[in-house]
Amino acid sequence: MKWKKYRIETTTAAEEFMSSMLMELGIEGIEIEDNVPLSKEDQADMFIDFLPELPEDKGISYVSFYLEESEDGKSDDTEILKQVKMGLEDLRSMVDVGSGMITSSETEDLDWINNWKKYFSSFTIDNLLIKPTWEEQKEEDKDKLLVEIDPGISFGTGKHETTQLCIKQLMKYIGKEVKAPKVLDVGCGSGILSIVALKLGAREVVGTDLDADCMISTRDNMEVNHLDASLGKFYVGNLIDDEELQKTVGTKEYEIVVANILADVIIPMAPVIPDRLKKGGYFITSGIIDFKENEVKEAIEKAGFTVVEINHQGEWVNITAQKN
């Protein structure tokens, strides 16, 4: 299916008025492009660890919308465009709408959910093989410990440096430092770290995530890996300030807590982790960009941990700490 994309050049002051006007006309799927820096509140809500470099904000914004083309490619958008232009003129009396120039282009209705799969293929970490569910296992990998993953719409193929740093630490501590631990996976995503923990010998896992869709992905991946559902419990919520969730996951029940999130989430989370761990338990973290390493380390130590390891992979950092 093809779509016509219409892009309106306007101002940042007018973009919300413009969006409302388009929605009143029954247009959905509105897209806004501007160079306005995110506020601290926006950054906190979106859990953004580091910001992209944006060009200078000159007050220009682009508001785009899409109209479906007919099968013969001869759809007539004249009437809706006439209404959009009338709406633009009405807005001029309330706000500076800028040039209001409308340009058009054509776009394909691509299968974004599945097209990324060509970039995810099997890989190994020591003797652990992480394989997408849609790929056949190679004969030379038959002797490896297998974890199959379909991230679905959740984060977590295992290929990202932060996930690999956590996996390496789980491989090091489960069975060697800690026999058959109970593991809490904070920000479980696709469930990959929970599944790796169980495959390595954890007796039970508990996972939390802000996104309810992650519960579906995690359950599906548990089933794909032939892991009994009773081995894992997964909850939606924010462990930082949700006292009910803190009670649900339990107090002093875990030998290991793993959190592959972001530095700006780990820092406020650190104070609630000691109550989850047994004495001597380990807190394995990653998702930390290198320039925030010291900030996270200080927060973890302030929460009552002793840092036992710091590891780097690319620009990412793992900090593993033990409860005093």
Side-chain angles (χ1 to χ4, degrees):
M1 183 184 297
K2 290 185 178 180
W3 298 76
K4 265 286 185 69
K5 177 180 179 179
Y6 292 96
R7 193 172 187 243
I8 308 169
E9 184 180 283
T10 184
T11 66
T12 52
E15 60 189 21
E16 289 190 20
F17 293 94
M18 195 81 68
S19 299
S20 297
M21 179 267 289
L22 293 171
M23 285 189 283
E24 286 173 6
L25 293 176
I27 295 171
E28 299 178 353
I30 297 162
E31 181 181 280
I32 296 174
E33 304 166 69
D34 60 36
N35 294 321
V36 178
L38 289 173
S39 67
K40 289 185 178 179
E41 291 78 14
D42 289 335
Q43 293 176 44
D45 289 343
M46 298 172 72
F47 294 150
I48 292 178
D49 200 28
F50 55 98
L51 298 175
E53 290 290 331
L54 293 174
E56 180 186 354
D57 175 27
K58 295 182 178 179
I60 297 173
S61 175
Y62 296 92
V63 178
S64 300
F65 61 95
Y66 298 82
L67 298 177
E68 185 179 341
E69 266 195 3
S70 61
E71 289 185 9
D72 60 8
K74 297 179 180 179
S75 57
D76 186 2
D77 299 331
T78 304
E79 182 57 35
I80 192 70
L81 287 175
K82 180 181 176 182
Q83 293 179 53
V84 169
K85 289 173 183 177
M86 289 171 61
L88 272 168
E89 292 309 309
D90 289 341
L91 288 177
R92 286 189 190 278
S93 62
M94 295 184 288
V95 66
D96 177 13
V97 299
S99 72
M101 184 173 65
I102 302 175
T103 55
S104 65
S105 59
E106 207 173 69
T107 183
E108 295 281 352
D109 184 15
L110 298 175
D111 184 3
W112 297 109
I113 291 178
N114 290 305
N115 281 359
W116 65 271
K117 289 183 176 181
K118 58 188 169 188
Y119 301 109
F120 176 28
S121 56
S122 298
F123 66 100
T124 58
I125 302 175
D126 294 334
N127 196 46
L128 180 71
L129 171 67
I130 297 176
K131 182 184 78 64
T133 54
W134 55 88
E135 192 175 285
E136 289 294 323
Q137 186 174 359
K138 297 175 183 175
E139 192 62 38
E140 60 265 31
D141 292 328
K142 296 289 187 182
D143 61 335
K144 291 181 171 61
L145 184 62
L146 175 64
V147 172
E148 293 191 276
I149 290 291
D150 184 345
I153 52 177
S154 302
F155 174 81
T157 63
K159 276 210 162 180
H160 196 276
E161 290 95 332
T162 62
T163 315
Q164 292 191 33
L165 283 163
C166 286
I167 289 173
K168 288 173 184 176
Q169 292 302 97
L170 290 173
M171 294 175 77
K172 179 173 182 177
Y173 284 87
I174 294 178
K176 297 172 185 176
E177 299 290 332
V178 188
K179 302 291 184 185
K182 184 174 182 180
V183 176
L184 175 61
D185 180 4
V186 186
C188 59
S190 67
I192 184 167
L193 295 179
S194 292
I195 290 164
V196 168
L198 289 169
K199 292 272 187 169
L200 292 170
R203 69 179 184 275
E204 185 182 350
V205 294
V206 174
T208 69
D209 203 287
L210 297 175
D211 188 348
D213 288 328
C214 293
M215 305 300 106
I216 299 169
S217 296
T218 297
R219 284 294 178 198
D220 288 347
N221 284 318
M222 287 271 290
E223 186 175 342
V224 164
N225 284 277
H226 311 292
L227 294 168
D228 194 284
S230 64
L231 295 174
K233 297 182 178 70
F234 302 94
Y235 305 99
V236 178
N238 189 341
L239 198 66
I240 294 173
D241 53 16
D242 188 336
E243 293 183 2
E244 195 59 40
L245 180 61
Q246 292 170 13
K247 290 177 185 176
T248 300
V249 301
T251 302
K252 295 179 174 58
E253 287 196 17
Y254 302 90
E255 286 83 11
I256 293 175
V257 174
V258 60
N260 180 29
I261 314 182
L262 289 171
D264 287 342
V265 183
I266 295 169
I267 290 167
M269 181 187 293
V272 307
I273 299 301
D275 283 345
R276 316 279 77 79
L277 281 166
K278 293 181 178 179
K279 184 178 179 180
Y282 291 95
F283 184 27
I284 297 171
T285 69
S286 193
I288 306 162
I289 193 69
D290 51 15
F291 59 81
K292 292 215 171 183
E293 176 183 326
N294 289 334
E295 195 178 345
V296 176
K297 179 176 178 287
E298 288 170 8
I300 289 173
E301 290 174 332
K302 187 177 179 181
F305 289 96
T306 297
V307 172
V308 293
E309 274 192 71
I310 296 179
N311 300 289
H312 299 83
Q313 189 167 333
E315 60 187 353
W316 299 98
V317 183
N318 149 252
I319 297 176
T320 299
Q322 189 171 27
K323 180 179 174 179
N324 292 329

